[in-house]
Amino acid sequence: QVLYAAVRSTLGRADRLVVMDGGKIVDSGPHHELTQRPGLYRDLVTAQEEMSRVQRLRGEVKEASA
């Protein structure tokens, strides 16, 4: 099964992610492993977290209710 997801919470539930760049597989593994080692996936997750932080500071996005 192949899943393309733009929502990070969906990616975190997957057993294995395959990271592609320019049509080539550049990395694979579970979310927790990919975020622990240098690479495109960790860079993308870090950039998304930073963007979310900036948006919260600007009041553009409200914190999710628990």
Side-chain angles (χ1 to χ4, degrees):
Q1 180 179 9
V2 175
L3 169 68
Y4 167 79
V7 179
R8 193 175 66 213
S9 62
T10 301
L11 297 172
R13 292 191 304 261
D15 294 329
R16 181 174 178 217
L17 303 171
V18 176
V19 182
M20 299 181 74
D21 186 20
K24 296 183 181 185
I25 295 173
V26 295
D27 208 350
S28 67
H31 170 79
H32 69 274
E33 286 182 13
L34 292 172
T35 57
Q36 295 301 309
R37 61 178 180 248
L40 179 60
Y41 186 79
R42 184 170 79 175
D43 293 347
L44 292 171
V45 169
T46 300
Q48 183 183 27
E49 289 171 348
E50 179 63 17
M51 179 61 74
S52 294
R53 186 184 73 78
V54 168
Q55 288 174 334
R56 281 192 306 274
L57 289 172
R58 289 181 178 167
E60 296 172 9
V61 176
K62 296 185 180 185
E63 294 287 337
S65 300

